[in-house]
Amino acid sequence: MTFAIGFGVHGLDHLRRGMDASPMSIMIGGNVQAVLVAVAVLMTMTHRYRAPEAAIGIGFGSAAVFTYAHLLPTFWADYQDSYISLPHTNVTWFSWLSAITEIGAGLVYGCVGVGVLRARKSTDPSACLDASSPGTNR
């Protein structure tokens, strides 16, 4: 849920800055990401079996994409809304706070997914097969 809130706060900053402050590819990507975030968070909240994988993919993926799009100098202007390179339209302290919050929440969400998978693996009875059993490569 924290990840969804972080994502939402960043979305509010985009609304505050104006919808024309970012390239169209960023706006389209953000809408696609919103759907993926909603699905991943819903999977987590309903305890779906693949929720940890969704958390890892969406959490770490979002953190990487947001870092590229906002925190790095512009490499491809059509695919970035850099807060560092000009023109960085209407970027304020809130823009920075919302981006860092979303990136941090994505990293935490991905780490939680990794932790759940590790815990699941350590409690999985099939992970404790006898090494002398036929067909095992231990």
Side-chain angles (χ1 to χ4, degrees):
M1 188 58 120
T2 302
F3 179 57
I5 292 169
F7 180 81
V9 168
H10 185 75
L12 289 174
D13 182 61
H14 274 277
L15 290 174
R16 182 198 61 78
R17 291 177 57 215
M19 299 310 280
D20 59 342
S22 298
M24 184 56 70
S25 62
I26 296 292
M27 302 309 291
I28 291 169
N31 286 315
V32 170
Q33 184 183 17
V35 171
L36 295 174
V37 167
V39 169
V41 170
L42 183 63
M43 288 175 69
T44 300
M45 293 176 68
T46 57
H47 306 285
R48 302 289 182 192
Y49 186 76
R50 294 287 182 204
E53 289 90 341
I56 292 167
I58 299 303
F60 290 142
S62 291
V65 169
F66 270 81
T67 298
Y68 167 76
H70 293 307
L71 303 185
L72 297 178
T74 299
F75 297 110
W76 294 312
D78 290 341
Y79 300 102
Q80 280 181 279
D81 180 18
S82 176
Y83 292 176
I84 297 170
S85 301
L86 292 175
H88 54 75
T89 307
N90 298 328
V91 172
T92 65
W93 66 269
F94 184 72
S95 304
W96 283 94
L97 179 67
S98 69
I100 302 262
T101 299
E102 199 284 334
I103 291 166
L107 292 172
V108 169
Y109 192 49
C111 287
V112 169
V114 169
V116 169
L117 282 182
R118 285 185 178 164
R120 185 185 291 167
K121 184 177 178 182
S122 70
T123 60
D124 183 7
S126 66
C128 300
L129 292 175
D130 181 21
S132 62
S133 298
T136 60
N137 294 327
R138 294 188 182 188

